[in-house]
Amino acid sequence: MMLNRRHIRVKVMQNLYAFKGSESDDLAKDQRFLLFSIDNMYNLYLLLLSLLIEVQKRAENDLKKKQNKHLATKEDKDPNKKFVNNQLLALLKDNQGLKEQLGTHKIFNWELDGEYVDVIFKAIVASELYSEYMETRVSDFKEDKDFVVDIFKEIIAPNDKLYDYLEDKNLTWLDDLPTVNTTILKLLRKAKASTVDSYFIPKLYKDIEDKQFAIDLFRKTLLNRTALNKEIEQKTKNWDAERIANVDYVLLQMAICELKNFPSIPVKVTINEYLEISKEYSTPKSSIFINGILDKIVKEYEASGELNKVGRGLM
């Protein structure tokens, strides 16, 4: 599975931050947009995986051109085909399930934007990784796999031009990129020569509960915004409201909503998750501010018996 709960919370935060309506609005449209932005992460996954397939095709075309040159050298006529015949890349190219998914999700970007395939291909060929790999003409599956993992990690994932291209195509992809890259690396590392068709088609959510969690957290935070804001205002009387970052406001709304409405999620988990998200998405001092407010609220809830935690949530 690709999505963990933290990434779901980030997606909900982004959609709440962008929400311009009021509590009384019909939330169906905004809920659909939330789920669409989560589903779109899968398209990014397919796009990056298909880039590996296209790079292999580009290498193949390159060899053919050299062999058909009018004044072909000895090496042109009998080239080292190790990269072109890489067993893991061949697995990806021949994977029926992946082919179907690329078709279903209409991932044909590289046909139109082939220059990015060229950029990546040239970066690979110019790398030390490539020259070391091509020192011999034969390899086993493990060597082929290690090479693909290394080029993905060191050449494709950090490539600036590719990053700009993805930002251009879809702004929300930049937040999804670390999660998607990690998923791809994990799958590549664990791939076997006998990998089944469904292997490269991971589930987006761990289970149906995770999808429901995204919907519930979004809806319950929005529908209770007035009450949540009142609670935040009571706890931030000494703070200038203008100086509280908008992201912090949204994170506090979500955290309080989670403490009150999700009995099976432990208090400690909720607080840690929002502190980590604030470190990444808000100001340097946000996590201290959020921690202070949530600490006060939890103590009050415990004293008044408002924390109705059950099962795992009690921990």
Side-chain angles (χ1 to χ4, degrees):
M1 65 91 187
M2 290 168 71
L3 265 177
N4 56 36
R5 286 266 174 124
R6 182 172 304 162
H7 203 83
I8 290 173
R9 288 179 176 95
V10 167
K11 284 288 186 194
V12 171
M13 172 198 79
Q14 288 166 339
N15 280 270
L16 288 170
Y17 186 80
F19 183 76
K20 295 287 180 273
S22 68
E23 288 173 10
S24 58
D25 285 1
D26 173 22
L27 301 183
K29 183 168 69 68
D30 296 281
Q31 183 180 307
R32 273 199 305 277
F33 186 76
L34 166 70
L35 294 176
F36 170 76
S37 75
I38 293 175
D39 287 344
N40 215 0
M41 191 176 161
Y42 188 65
N43 289 344
L44 175 62
Y45 164 79
L46 290 172
L47 186 63
L48 290 175
L49 216 48
S50 68
L51 180 57
L52 281 170
I53 297 169
E54 292 306 317
V55 164
Q56 190 276 342
K57 284 184 196 166
R58 172 72 175 73
E60 220 162 18
N61 292 340
D62 206 53
L63 275 193
K64 280 176 191 159
K65 268 185 207 158
K66 281 179 181 168
Q67 284 173 316
N68 296 329
K69 262 195 329 198
H70 184 54
L71 294 168
T73 63
K74 184 171 175 288
E75 201 200 328
D76 287 337
K77 285 178 179 169
D78 181 26
N80 184 349
K81 293 185 177 173
K82 191 173 171 181
F83 181 42
V84 166
N85 294 336
N86 182 289
Q87 294 169 70
L88 181 52
L89 293 178
L91 253 189
L92 283 171
K93 194 168 89 172
D94 299 333
N95 189 293
Q96 216 36 56
L98 193 53
K99 271 182 200 163
E100 284 165 18
Q101 288 295 307
L102 292 170
T104 305
H105 291 260
K106 298 184 172 51
I107 306 292
F108 309 122
N109 298 49
W110 308 125
E111 288 174 18
L112 299 168
D113 302 319
E115 68 266 30
Y116 292 93
V117 179
D118 278 356
V119 163
I120 297 296
F121 175 66
K122 283 172 183 161
I124 291 169
V125 172
S127 71
E128 213 171 295
L129 282 171
Y130 182 81
S131 14
E132 282 173 16
Y133 176 68
M134 298 298 276
E135 275 170 11
T136 59
R137 289 174 84 98
V138 286
S139 54
D140 58 10
F141 186 78
K142 187 187 179 309
E143 192 193 339
D144 282 354
K145 176 168 78 170
D146 290 347
F147 174 67
V148 174
V149 167
D150 287 343
I151 60 171
F152 189 85
K153 191 172 68 183
E154 293 176 34
I155 296 169
I156 297 175
N159 188 279
D160 288 337
K161 283 184 180 161
L162 184 61
Y163 185 88
D164 293 343
Y165 171 76
L166 296 172
E167 182 179 24
D168 241 20
K169 287 286 167 199
N170 190 320
L171 200 53
T172 65
W173 275 353
L174 297 189
D175 287 303
D176 300 333
L177 206 48
T179 305
V180 170
N181 283 339
T182 305
T183 302
I184 291 175
L185 277 171
K186 210 184 280 179
L187 286 171
L188 292 174
R189 280 193 183 111
K190 291 185 173 175
K192 293 182 170 66
S194 56
T195 292
V196 292
D197 258 4
S198 59
Y199 178 76
F200 287 108
I201 307 158
K203 289 196 304 189
L204 190 54
Y205 298 94
K206 188 176 80 175
D207 47 37
I208 195 72
E209 278 91 358
D210 272 7
K211 185 174 184 175
Q212 198 52 52
F213 171 68
I215 295 168
D216 291 346
L217 183 59
F218 179 70
R219 290 186 73 88
K220 285 176 181 174
T221 305
L222 267 187
L223 291 168
N224 296 295
R225 243 181 181 177
T226 308
L228 292 167
N229 285 345
K230 206 173 277 179
E231 194 140 2
I232 295 166
E233 277 151 27
Q234 282 169 0
K235 300 289 174 292
T236 53
K237 280 178 183 159
N238 305 333
W239 292 75
D240 177 0
E242 294 296 308
R243 290 182 59 203
I244 300 172
N246 290 344
V247 172
D248 293 353
Y249 237 98
V250 173
L251 290 175
L252 281 170
Q253 289 167 350
M254 290 170 69
I256 298 165
C257 173
E258 201 172 296
L259 288 168
K260 289 183 112 166
N261 298 296
F262 293 82
S264 65
I265 299 174
V267 170
K268 212 186 271 179
V269 169
T270 295
I271 292 175
N272 285 345
E273 287 288 89
Y274 289 101
L275 292 185
E276 287 307 314
I277 294 170
S278 73
K279 283 175 194 169
E280 207 173 323
Y281 289 90
S282 198
T283 65
K285 290 183 177 170
S286 289
S287 61
I288 300 163
F289 166 67
I290 288 173
N291 194 31
I293 305 296
L294 292 180
D295 195 49
K296 270 190 214 169
I297 286 172
V298 167
K299 280 179 182 147
E300 264 180 36
Y301 286 177
E302 280 172 342
S304 64
E306 272 180 88
L307 266 186
N308 62 334
K309 295 288 178 182
V310 296
R312 232 182 103 247
L314 296 165
M315 287 143 68

